[in-house]
Every structure is written in C-alpha cells, then in structure tokens.
Amino acid sequence: MTAPVFLDVDGTSIAVRRATGAAPGIVWLGGYKSDMLGTKAEKLAEWASGQGRAFLRHDYSGHGESGGAFADGTVSKWLLQSLAVFHHFTLGRQILVGSSMGAWIALRMVQELSKAGENRIAGLVLLAPAPDFTAELVEPALTKAQKRDLARKGFFEEPSDYSAEPYIYTRALIEDGRNNLTMNGPIDTHCPVHILQGLADADVPSSHALKLVGLLPADDVTLSLIPDGDHRLSRPQDLDMLVRAVDAMVRQAG
C-alpha cells in the first residue's frame, strides 16, 4: 500500500491517494465514518489500475488518515475538502463515484462546479445514496433523549453496525445539513447518473433512492435495485456490479 500524500485545506491535513492514468478519471467519495481504504474503494482502485485509468480518493477530515476531529465535521466542510482535492489533483473529465453520504457530496460538488462554470463531470455512480440524510433520515427519527442530548451536549451517539465506535451526530452537522439540501427541488447534474440501491438496506431505505430518481428529470438515469443488497454493498456480487456500472459509465463518456 503506497503512503498517502497530504493536502492542506484550511489548516487541516487531508490524506489523498492518486493514481494517474487515462481520462475520464474516477473520483471516489466515501460515506459517513468510512475511509478510502474500504472494500469498495480498494476494488475500484484495483480495477482502475488494470485499465490504466486515473483514480483519486481521499479521507474527509476526522476520517481515516486525515487530520481533524470527526465531531468537528460538517457536510460543508467535507464538501470544501472534496472540491479542493478535485481541483488540485484532477485533469480533464471525471466520473464521481459516491457511496452513501459520498453521493450527497458528489451531488453538491456537481452543483458547485456547475456554478463556477466547470463542466468536467462526465457521469455519476451513486451507491446507496444518502443525500440530505440529516434532514430526511436522522431528524424525523430523533427520540426525546436524542433531542435532549443535542440541546444539552451538542451531540448524540448511536451504536454502529459497522464499527466498535459509536456514530456521533452533532448539532452542527444537522444544522449545516439544512444548508446543503439537494432533494428540495429538481436536480440538474448535466451528466448520466447510475444509482445502485439494495432493497435490504436498513440504513437508507430504497424509497430514498426512488425519490432521488424522481428529482433527476433532465438526465439519463439508471436505477439498479439489488433485491438482497444491504447498505454496504460490499459482497463480491455487489463489487462486480459496481465495477460494471463504472466501466459502462466510462464507455458512455468515451
């Protein structure tokens, strides 16, 4: 495993791994509490390497090998870091591959790049997409105790199915989420979108992916539903499907 390089973004050291190669390049955007060495990112890195294709991934602050505290993170902060990495390390057209919260970051990146007149996104592949998860999935389900913790302590904890460490949701994360909503109106990505969604996803219901599809009226959208797929989509057959989706997107962009 090669060591990461680090990019300073607003005083925080962001860990980046980059393989140069053909365009369109692939940019991986991980989920909440995930790092760039997860199963899906590693599988894509291996595939991209075999294809001689550029591949870029990074850890958000408070994740993996990057600096900063997880509890200080917000979508705005992680979006800013992702845009800085994108601008610093990519050339030419790129396909954004976003997993869970990474799909939210990907959609926000497209909005911000488009606003800046940059039309370099050739496609989006979104796995178990969780745009607006703070407002759409976390806030409506808050218990009295969690609301009390948010008011008094500024955060609440929830056990995680994926790690011994609990998930931490801060008041700042939830309030900032409201400033980054993407599902409050039609979304123009100006590129093809392929969504992979497991029907056995206990974290992000498939209805969320269907709602997202309904908000992408102007673009070429493919939705692949995986009957027994969970939120992680990390089984061998899920990884094969991911690679096929990215490969097809590359061909379409070609």
Short mmCIF file of all heavy atoms in Angstrom, two decimals, residues 100 137 161-162 167 200-205 230-232:
data_model
loop_
_atom_site.label_atom_id
_atom_site.label_comp_id
_atom_site.label_asym_id
_atom_site.label_seq_id
_atom_site.Cartn_x
_atom_site.Cartn_y
_atom_site.Cartn_z
N SER A 100 -23.18 6.33 -0.19
CA SER A 100 -23.95 6.82 0.95
C SER A 100 -23.83 8.35 1.07
O SER A 100 -24.22 9.07 0.16
CB SER A 100 -23.50 6.10 2.23
OG SER A 100 -24.40 6.34 3.28
N LEU A 137 -33.51 11.63 7.04
CA LEU A 137 -33.48 10.34 7.74
C LEU A 137 -33.19 10.46 9.23
O LEU A 137 -33.76 9.74 10.04
CB LEU A 137 -32.42 9.42 7.08
CG LEU A 137 -32.60 9.17 5.57
CD1 LEU A 137 -31.44 8.36 5.02
CD2 LEU A 137 -33.92 8.46 5.28
N ASP A 161 -23.43 -0.46 13.38
CA ASP A 161 -23.38 -1.87 12.94
C ASP A 161 -22.04 -2.17 12.29
O ASP A 161 -21.73 -3.34 12.03
CB ASP A 161 -24.48 -2.14 11.90
CG ASP A 161 -25.86 -2.10 12.51
OD1 ASP A 161 -25.96 -2.26 13.75
OD2 ASP A 161 -26.84 -1.89 11.77
N TYR A 162 -21.26 -1.14 11.99
CA TYR A 162 -20.07 -1.34 11.17
C TYR A 162 -18.76 -1.15 11.93
O TYR A 162 -17.69 -1.38 11.39
CB TYR A 162 -20.10 -0.39 9.96
CG TYR A 162 -21.42 -0.41 9.24
CD1 TYR A 162 -22.26 0.69 9.24
CD2 TYR A 162 -21.85 -1.58 8.60
CE1 TYR A 162 -23.49 0.64 8.59
CE2 TYR A 162 -23.07 -1.62 7.95
CZ TYR A 162 -23.89 -0.51 7.95
OH TYR A 162 -25.11 -0.56 7.32
N TYR A 167 -21.59 5.91 16.24
CA TYR A 167 -21.77 7.05 15.34
C TYR A 167 -22.04 8.26 16.22
O TYR A 167 -22.79 8.18 17.18
CB TYR A 167 -22.99 6.84 14.44
CG TYR A 167 -22.73 6.10 13.16
CD1 TYR A 167 -23.75 5.41 12.52
CD2 TYR A 167 -21.48 6.11 12.56
CE1 TYR A 167 -23.54 4.73 11.32
CE2 TYR A 167 -21.25 5.44 11.37
CZ TYR A 167 -22.28 4.76 10.75
OH TYR A 167 -22.06 4.10 9.58
N ALA A 200 -32.51 -4.44 0.76
CA ALA A 200 -32.43 -4.86 2.16
C ALA A 200 -31.57 -3.87 2.96
O ALA A 200 -30.97 -4.23 3.97
CB ALA A 200 -31.85 -6.27 2.24
N ASP A 201 -31.51 -2.63 2.49
CA ASP A 201 -30.71 -1.58 3.14
C ASP A 201 -31.47 -1.09 4.38
O ASP A 201 -32.54 -0.50 4.26
CB ASP A 201 -30.50 -0.43 2.15
CG ASP A 201 -29.54 0.64 2.66
OD1 ASP A 201 -29.42 0.80 3.88
OD2 ASP A 201 -28.92 1.33 1.81
N ALA A 202 -30.89 -1.33 5.56
CA ALA A 202 -31.56 -0.94 6.81
C ALA A 202 -31.26 0.51 7.18
O ALA A 202 -31.92 1.09 8.05
CB ALA A 202 -31.10 -1.85 7.94
N ASP A 203 -30.26 1.13 6.52
CA ASP A 203 -29.84 2.50 6.88
C ASP A 203 -30.48 3.56 5.99
O ASP A 203 -30.90 4.61 6.47
CB ASP A 203 -28.32 2.62 6.80
CG ASP A 203 -27.64 1.70 7.80
OD1 ASP A 203 -27.80 1.94 9.00
OD2 ASP A 203 -27.00 0.74 7.38
N VAL A 204 -30.50 3.29 4.68
CA VAL A 204 -31.09 4.25 3.73
C VAL A 204 -32.14 3.48 2.93
O VAL A 204 -31.80 2.65 2.10
CB VAL A 204 -30.02 4.84 2.79
CG1 VAL A 204 -30.67 5.81 1.80
CG2 VAL A 204 -28.93 5.56 3.59
N PRO A 205 -33.42 3.73 3.20
CA PRO A 205 -34.47 2.95 2.52
C PRO A 205 -34.47 3.18 1.02
O PRO A 205 -34.08 4.24 0.53
CB PRO A 205 -35.77 3.46 3.16
CG PRO A 205 -35.43 4.80 3.73
CD PRO A 205 -33.98 4.76 4.09
N ASP A 230 -27.56 -4.99 1.04
CA ASP A 230 -27.67 -4.17 2.24
C ASP A 230 -27.06 -2.79 1.98
O ASP A 230 -26.79 -2.43 0.83
CB ASP A 230 -27.00 -4.87 3.45
CG ASP A 230 -25.50 -5.07 3.25
OD1 ASP A 230 -24.94 -4.57 2.24
OD2 ASP A 230 -24.87 -5.72 4.11
N HIS A 231 -26.81 -2.02 3.04
CA HIS A 231 -26.31 -0.66 2.84
C HIS A 231 -24.86 -0.65 2.35
O HIS A 231 -24.47 0.23 1.60
CB HIS A 231 -26.42 0.15 4.14
CG HIS A 231 -26.07 1.60 3.96
ND1 HIS A 231 -26.78 2.42 3.11
CD2 HIS A 231 -25.10 2.37 4.49
CE1 HIS A 231 -26.25 3.64 3.13
NE2 HIS A 231 -25.23 3.63 3.96
N ARG A 232 -24.08 -1.63 2.74
CA ARG A 232 -22.65 -1.59 2.42
C ARG A 232 -22.37 -1.96 0.97
O ARG A 232 -21.38 -1.49 0.40
CB ARG A 232 -21.89 -2.53 3.34
CG ARG A 232 -22.04 -2.15 4.81
CD ARG A 232 -21.20 -3.01 5.70
NE ARG A 232 -19.82 -2.54 5.72
CZ ARG A 232 -18.91 -2.96 6.58
NH1 ARG A 232 -19.23 -3.86 7.48
NH2 ARG A 232 -17.69 -2.49 6.54
#
